[in-house]
Amino acid sequence: MSASDKPKPAASGTVHRPIGVFDSGVGGLTVLSALRQRLPSEDLVYLGDTARVPYGTRSPETVINYSQRVASRLVREDIKALVIACNTATAHALEALQEAGARIGLPVIGVIEPGVQAALTASRGGTVAVLGTEGTIRAGRYQQALERAGTASIGQACSLLVPLAEEGWTTGEVAEAVAERYLAPLQGQVDTAILGCTHFPLLREVIQAALPGVVLVDSAETTAEAVAEILAEQGLLQAPRAPAPTRFLVTDNLERFVTVGHRFLGHAPDPVTLVDLPDPEGAFAAP
Ligand code: DGL
């Protein structure tokens, strides 16, 4: 390990700072739940960019700009690590945010690499399906990472599953018909499918019915594990204690976030604060 690769010793007081987690809206709450389970002593602050959701149909440039703005806002919360709990934002903005984070000693973790690890563990050597938003599939990050690991993949955008999860229509004939329409071409072609969108774990039942015998993996738990490893490596792990209540920041429509968030978390997110996003600032300002 070269001197520059060595984890920086944590500055005094750093371990007590919160982990920042963000998504375009409510979907990242599935990752937040996994983080709470895996890292019960950590303080967490979640930002849902509900004013700009969905990210899944936007251009890479726009998603990078939104992600830089969210990261800038979370840095104001004095975070010690940043988790991109959104597949689309990870697909487009991970590199930009990691480069900026490295300038201020802020580790930035996305959901794609952990999702690929989960798929490689689950796969029995067959082809892996990647299910995601249009942006995630078009960016091809999952497919490239699988290819690097010598595993064939098929990407399938399933954009309509996002509003279905938001609406709470996660079972029943409409959800079944939509899942079947997207997934029928994959039947018999794949042995594993990555739920490469934060909303899809809520639709697990209908996705499984459309892909019988296929192992479904999601990145929430493996992402939480990756965060735990990075915090441990960098001396940033909080010692056992009762954490502060998780705080939620949203950029629009607080009431809807509480209602829909309840479905994702199993309880109403609270306290929730409405915030504005700054233009990218500090390390996250475009060079
Ligand atoms: N959170 C997004 C993702 O995981 C889905 C919702 C959106 O399109 O913004 O890709």
Side-chain angles (χ1 to χ4, degrees):
M1 185 186 274
S2 75
S4 60
D5 290 337
K6 276 196 189 134
K8 292 192 188 92
S12 120
T14 304
V15 291
H16 306 303
R17 289 152 59 188
I19 300 170
V21 183
F22 85 89
D23 179 40
S24 52
V26 287
L29 294 174
T30 53
V31 176
L32 186 84
S33 295
L35 283 167
R36 174 44 71 233
Q37 281 222 318
R38 177 64 185 81
L39 295 164
S41 301
E42 301 290 344
D43 291 347
L44 304 172
V45 54
Y46 180 92
L47 195 152
D49 190 12
T50 45
R52 292 166 195 79
V53 69
Y55 283 11
T57 46
R58 303 196 192 276
S59 70
E61 295 73 25
T62 298
V63 174
I64 291 171
N65 176 267
Y66 289 174
S67 302
Q68 288 167 328
R69 295 177 67 179
V70 171
S72 300
R73 182 63 187 75
L74 281 170
V75 164
R76 291 186 186 176
E77 300 296 317
D78 200 23
I79 55 173
K80 65 178 177 182
L82 178 65
V83 180
I84 311 176
C86 172
N87 291 265
T88 309
T90 303
H92 294 314
L94 178 68
E95 273 171 31
L97 296 192
Q98 280 184 331
E99 273 172 29
R103 290 199 279 273
I104 52 172
L106 180 77
V108 179
I109 302 111
V111 288
I112 291 183
E113 206 51 56
V116 167
Q117 287 314 318
L120 293 175
T121 306
S123 171
R124 290 147 279 165
T127 299
V128 172
V130 181
L131 316 180
T133 64
E134 203 183 301
T136 298
I137 300 307
R138 213 182 276 151
R141 301 287 182 177
Y142 272 112
Q143 298 94 311
Q144 289 154 11
L146 287 162
E147 198 177 311
R148 280 198 299 275
T151 298
S153 66
I154 305 175
Q156 174 65 54
C158 307
S159 304
L160 269 183
L161 295 181
V162 173
L164 282 177
E166 295 260 343
E167 200 61 29
W169 292 19
T170 51
T171 54
E173 57 183 326
V174 175
E176 280 163 21
V178 174
E180 176 68 20
R181 174 80 185 263
Y182 283 127
L183 303 176
L186 302 178
Q187 286 168 5
Q189 308 293 314
V190 299
D191 73 357
T192 306
I194 299 177
L195 304 178
C197 172
T198 48
H199 287 61
F200 296 175
L202 271 82
L203 289 136
R204 189 177 265 273
E205 205 177 305
V206 292
I207 293 173
Q208 188 70 80
L211 291 176
V214 171
V215 181
L216 304 183
V217 296
D218 84 69
S219 56
E221 278 172 30
T222 37
T223 299
E225 195 53 47
V227 174
E229 275 170 28
I230 288 170
L231 292 183
E233 255 171 48
Q234 305 210 359
L236 291 171
L237 262 187
Q238 174 63 56
R241 61 153 187 185
T246 299
R247 289 180 300 122
F248 299 89
L249 312 179
V250 295
T251 51
D252 195 15
N253 212 337
L254 192 149
E255 293 76 20
R256 183 170 164 77
F257 179 82
V258 173
T259 311
V260 182
H262 196 300
R263 270 178 225 135
F264 279 74
L265 276 180
H267 59 85
D270 180 50
V272 188
T273 310
L274 197 59
V275 297
D276 278 333
L277 293 187
D279 283 335
E281 62 186 20
F284 295 97

